[in-house]
């Protein structure tokens, strides 16, 4: 008797497509298989390993994921999660489908699903370390390894909301997988975000002032902005939290040992400043 896929993946099979030939996928002995025989393992932790062959060029490593899990569990970014849940609730129909591109550990997807009892959510990320968390983050969530820069292993017009929170973007694929009534919700930092921390860590990646223009330029052909919320507040960080916040970003390489004090990182107040925009497909 063929083994079923983990229950978490079962309700998402209508969404998924074979990344090689676009056919439907069926569970088969601990894997997902298409009629042509393309086979994708289901990891012990429950996520579908759809990204096979050539490795993705980006994705968080284990230290970054651990730091992200620790930091997000402090609740410092809970207001961002709440704003996102509200923006999603405004547009999501009952029993809607959310796709979280670059979902990381699934922190935001879980928060949104908590507020929307009929919704289901699929997270995509290149980082298997992050997916181990994301696959188990919520009982109405599932996760799959995928590189957002490649055509998504998803059917056309299946998502009511695509979330992109501090993650890479693929506007044409976002557009293809969204229903015409759907929304893309993008959260990104402003140039004031964590400015105090940037001052403390030499070489910490700065926010490109032209970022908003570039975002508009790349999304513009596919989407028009429907609503933007600016969220800005001050948070007090312990030295450990400040270090985790740096370690969960690409700036982590500038903190190359376990002792934040060596880098002069202190407990501090930081400005959290992000924009969250809901976009309508053109
Ligand atoms: C800054 S983190 C944000 C994670 C999550 N959205 C959050 O805010 O907690 C960026 C995420 O994008 C993932 N990522 C990087 N490049 C990617 C790619 N090409 N395709 C899919 N995910 C990618 C990383 O592994 C990481 O989990
Ligand atoms: Zn196939």
């Amino acid at each position: 008797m063929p083994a079923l896929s983990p229950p978490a993946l079962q309700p998402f099979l209508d969404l998924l497509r074979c990344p090689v030939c676009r056919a439907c996928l069926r569970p088969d002995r601990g894997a997902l298989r298409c009629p042509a025989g393309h086979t994708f393992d289901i990891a012990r932790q429950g996520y579908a390993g759809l990204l096979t062959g050539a490795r993705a060029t980006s994705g968080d490593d284990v230290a970054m994921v651990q730091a992200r899990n620790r930091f997000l569990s402090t609740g410092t970014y809970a207001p961002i999660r709440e704003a996102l849940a509200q923006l999603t609730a405004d547009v999501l129909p009952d029993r809607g489908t959310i796709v979280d591109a670059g979902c990381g550990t699934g922190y935001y997807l879980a928060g949104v699903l908590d507020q929307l009892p009929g919704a289901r959510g699929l997270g995509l990320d290149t980082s298997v370390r992050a997916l181990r968390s994301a696959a188990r983050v919520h009982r109405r969530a599932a996760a799959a390894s995928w590189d957002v820069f490649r055509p998504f292993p998803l059917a056309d017009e299946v998502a009511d909301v695509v979330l992109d929170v501090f993650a890479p973007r693929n506007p044409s694929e976002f557009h293809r997988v969204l229903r015409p009534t759907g929304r893309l919700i993008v959260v990104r930092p402003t140039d004031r975000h964590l400015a105090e921390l940037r001052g403390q860590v030499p070489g910490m990646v700065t926010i490109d002032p032209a970022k908003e223009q570039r975002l508009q330029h790349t999304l513009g052909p596919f989407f028009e902005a429907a609503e933007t919320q600016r969220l800005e507040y001050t948070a007090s960080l312990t030295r450990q939290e400040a270090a985790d916040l740096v370690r969960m970003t690409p700036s982590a390489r500038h903190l190359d040992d376990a002792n934040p004090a060596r880098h002069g990182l202190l407990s501090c107040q930081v400005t959290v400043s992000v924009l969250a925009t809901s976009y309508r497909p053109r």
Side-chain angles (χ1 to χ4, degrees):
M1 196 176 69
L4 291 177
S5 55
L9 277 172
Q10 200 77 37
F12 290 87
L13 294 177
D14 61 317
L15 242 70
L16 298 177
R17 289 293 177 270
C18 172
V20 182
C21 71
R22 319 301 301 165
C24 292
L25 292 167
R26 291 281 164 257
D28 183 16
R29 284 163 287 171
L32 295 177
R33 202 182 299 274
C34 79
H38 302 124
T39 304
F40 307 91
D41 287 343
I42 296 168
R44 195 162 37 88
Q45 295 86 359
Y47 64 87
L50 299 183
L51 188 61
T52 56
R55 292 198 145 243
T57 51
S58 52
D60 287 2
D61 62 21
V62 63
M64 288 167 82
V65 172
Q66 284 170 346
R68 182 175 303 282
N69 259 329
R70 272 195 309 267
F71 180 78
L72 291 174
S73 72
T74 65
T76 306
Y77 279 2
I80 303 177
R81 184 156 91 153
E82 283 153 27
L84 199 54
Q86 189 52 55
L87 272 177
T88 307
D90 289 347
V91 294
L92 200 82
D94 283 351
R95 315 195 65 74
T97 298
I98 301 165
V99 171
D100 187 353
C103 63
T105 57
Y107 172 79
Y108 294 99
L109 185 59
V112 169
L113 290 173
D114 267 345
Q115 302 299 315
L116 299 167
R120 62 176 176 168
L122 176 71
L124 302 175
D125 203 289
T126 43
S127 163
V128 295
R129 296 295 181 158
L131 288 166
R132 288 177 189 176
S133 295
R136 292 185 283 199
V137 81
H138 196 281
R139 87 192 149 73
R140 282 178 279 115
S145 63
W146 196 249
D147 177 347
V148 300
F149 295 124
R150 301 186 199 189
F152 291 7
L154 301 177
D156 295 348
E157 298 186 6
V158 284
D160 297 288
V161 167
V162 170
L163 297 179
D164 186 286
V165 186
F166 305 126
R169 292 177 276 272
N170 184 337
S172 63
E173 280 299 280
F174 290 171
H175 192 272
R176 181 183 67 79
V177 302
L178 268 174
R179 295 188 214 283
T181 52
R183 292 286 189 278
L184 164 67
I185 301 178
V186 176
V187 177
R188 69 281 184 197
T190 77
D191 54 5
R192 294 167 53 83
H193 187 55
L194 308 181
E196 302 83 350
L197 210 50
R198 283 169 215 290
Q200 284 198 47
V201 181
M204 189 168 169
V205 174
T206 53
I207 313 263
D208 173 4
K211 195 179 159 105
E212 279 304 302
Q213 257 173 305
R214 274 194 290 115
L215 180 68
Q216 179 49 36
H217 184 73
T218 54
L219 290 183
F222 300 95
F223 294 97
E224 61 176 336
E227 181 187 352
T228 295
Q229 285 185 15
R230 187 186 179 101
L231 189 63
E232 193 164 295
Y233 55 94
T234 311
S236 301
L237 302 181
T238 65
R239 179 181 274 191
Q240 174 70 42
E241 288 162 1
D244 280 341
L245 198 44
V246 178
R247 285 202 183 95
M248 65 193 238
T249 73
S251 318
R253 62 181 177 278
H254 299 294
L255 273 193
D256 56 0
D257 77 23
N259 179 8
R262 224 192 107 198
H263 300 272
L265 264 183
L266 304 170
S267 54
C268 59
Q269 297 264 328
V270 288
T271 304
V272 176
S273 176
V274 302
L275 294 170
T277 301
S278 176
Y279 294 89
R280 195 181 287 127
R282 290 195 194 273

